[in-house]
């Protein structure tokens, strides 16, 4: 399976509300295995894959519980420098915020320091204060913001 088919499968994956967590996990575990079989991705392929995964998060209910197979997968794609992931993660949270993306943001903020940490914490605060975001997303961001400030 090539990168085009992988991205296409992510694009059409749409579990219904009755889907079990394990079914979603199995899907992302299979996708991760297929990416691994490719033996490495170019920067452009990484960018496209990360964007596809954020599009998946975007089309789901923003208050849907996080899926750790998806979370671990997306965090590993650009793990050497996080150049692509960082930009997409912050951009997504500025515009769309979801329980999963806020958790991803907090996990990433845990790896930062200095000005970058401040920017991440400020983004958590802005999500918590954004009246357009669902209450559970705002509450999650507030909790992570308070955690970060207490460190």
């Amino acid at each position: 399976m090539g990168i085009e088919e992988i991205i296409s499968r992510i694009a059409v994956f749409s579990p219904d509300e009755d889907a079990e967590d394990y079914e979603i996990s199995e899907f992302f575990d299979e996708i991760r295995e297929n990416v691994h079989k490719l033996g490495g991705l170019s920067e452009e392929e990484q960018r496209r894959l990360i964007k596809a995964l954020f599009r998946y998060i975007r089309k789901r209910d923003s208050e849907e519980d996080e899926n750790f197979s998806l979370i671990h997968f997306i965090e590993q794609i650009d793990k050497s420098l996080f150049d692509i992931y960082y930009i997409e993660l912050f951009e997504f949270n500025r515009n769309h915020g979801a329980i999963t993306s806020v958790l991803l943001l907090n996990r990433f903020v845990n790896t930062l320091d200095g000005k970058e940490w401040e920017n991440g914490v400020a983004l958590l605060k802005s999500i918590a204060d954004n009246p357009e975001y669902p209450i559970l997303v705002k509450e999650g961001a507030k909790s992570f913001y308070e955690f970060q400030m207490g460190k």
Side-chain angles (χ1 to χ4, degrees), residues 78-115:
D78 180 33
K79 67 182 175 184
S80 60
L81 297 174
F82 288 118
D83 291 340
I84 301 164
Y85 177 68
Y86 174 84
I87 292 166
E88 293 299 324
L89 177 64
F90 275 61
E91 185 66 26
F92 185 91
N93 277 291
R94 280 188 204 100
N95 296 310
H96 305 294
I99 288 175
T100 298
S101 67
V102 169
L103 175 63
L104 286 165
L105 177 60
N106 184 65
R107 288 167 60 97
F108 190 68
V109 169
N110 284 333
T111 70
L112 303 174
D113 56 19
K115 186 67 174 165

Side-chain angles (χ1 to χ4, degrees), residues 20-150:
E20 298 290 334
D21 289 343
Y22 78 88
E23 294 171 297
I24 298 169
S25 293
E26 286 177 350
F27 173 80
F28 285 108
D29 289 345
E30 179 187 339
I31 292 293
R32 184 176 60 232
E33 287 175 30
N34 283 301
V35 168
H36 181 71
K37 288 177 186 175
L38 294 175
L41 300 175
S42 70
E43 186 175 310
E44 181 57 27
E45 289 170 331
Q46 289 177 35
R47 183 181 313 335
R48 291 179 56 226
L49 183 55
I50 289 170
K51 285 180 179 277
L53 291 167
F54 276 114
R55 280 192 300 273
Y56 169 79
I57 294 169
R58 171 90 169 99
K59 75 180 180 180
R60 305 298 298 158
D61 179 351
S62 61
E63 294 181 337
E64 182 177 288
D65 284 338
E66 60 278 332
N67 178 280
F68 278 91
S69 288
L70 167 62
I71 287 168
H72 294 144
F73 176 44
I74 197 170
E75 289 175 333
Q76 293 298 308
I77 295 169
D78 180 33
K79 67 182 175 184
S80 60
L81 297 174
F82 288 118
D83 291 340
I84 301 164
Y85 177 68
Y86 174 84
I87 292 166
E88 293 299 324
L89 177 64
F90 275 61
E91 185 66 26
F92 185 91
N93 277 291
R94 280 188 204 100
N95 296 310
H96 305 294
I99 288 175
T100 298
S101 67
V102 169
L103 175 63
L104 286 165
L105 177 60
N106 184 65
R107 288 167 60 97
F108 190 68
V109 169
N110 284 333
T111 70
L112 303 174
D113 56 19
K115 186 67 174 165
E116 288 146 343
W117 179 84
E118 291 173 14
N119 290 339
V121 172
L123 182 52
L124 285 168
K125 176 81 166 114
S126 73
I127 294 166
D129 294 340
N130 189 329
E132 295 181 21
Y133 284 1
I135 205 108
L136 289 176
V137 174
K138 291 170 39 171
E139 288 173 355
K142 180 181 179 192
S143 174
F144 290 136
Y145 170 77
E146 290 170 350
F147 168 76
Q148 294 294 337
M149 294 306 293

